[in-house]
């Protein structure tokens, strides 16, 4: 969604929206419509700047991406 670069499914992080909050779904088990981003702050920032999340989830934005950012920051540090 962010950088729009194609990637293998396993490289992307699935996210879903729960009550206006974007949450990471690394195992792909959460119900509902999902959207994928690279698990990097660069890609996440691009997606937020492009308002890609509300469009992907077909909900009025903006959406809270704080939890997603926290998850990506932790993933990038590993
Ligand atoms: Zn990307």
């Amino acid at each position: 969604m962010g950088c729009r670069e194609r990637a293998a499914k396993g490289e992307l992080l699935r996210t879903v929206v729960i009550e206006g909050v974007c949450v990471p779904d690394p195992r792909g088990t959460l119900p509902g419509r999902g959207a994928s981003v690279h698990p990097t702050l660069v890609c996440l920032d691009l997606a937020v700047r492009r308002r890609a999340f509300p469009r992907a989830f077909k909900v009025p934005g903006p959406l809270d991406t704080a939890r997603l950012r926290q998850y990506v920051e932790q993933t990038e540090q590993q």
Side-chain angles (χ1 to χ4, degrees):
M1 268 195 319
C3 64
R4 297 191 185 159
E5 276 182 30
R6 289 187 171 283
K9 207 166 179 201
E11 288 170 26
L12 294 174
L13 171 65
R14 184 175 190 264
T15 68
V16 296
V17 168
I18 299 173
E19 291 172 9
V21 178
C22 287
V23 297
D25 181 24
R27 284 191 291 273
T29 54
L30 293 177
R33 177 186 292 272
S36 300
V37 286
H38 287 104
T40 65
L41 287 177
V42 174
C43 192
L44 183 59
D45 282 341
L46 271 173
V48 171
R49 225 175 298 146
R50 287 199 173 112
R51 296 189 177 84
F53 286 106
R55 258 184 295 126
F57 293 116
K58 297 187 186 330
V59 294
L63 295 170
D64 179 352
T65 56
R67 265 182 71 182
L68 192 53
R69 178 175 299 279
Q70 199 181 19
Y71 178 86
V72 170
E73 278 172 352
Q74 284 166 359
T75 311
E76 280 200 317
Q77 283 164 10
Q78 285 170 5

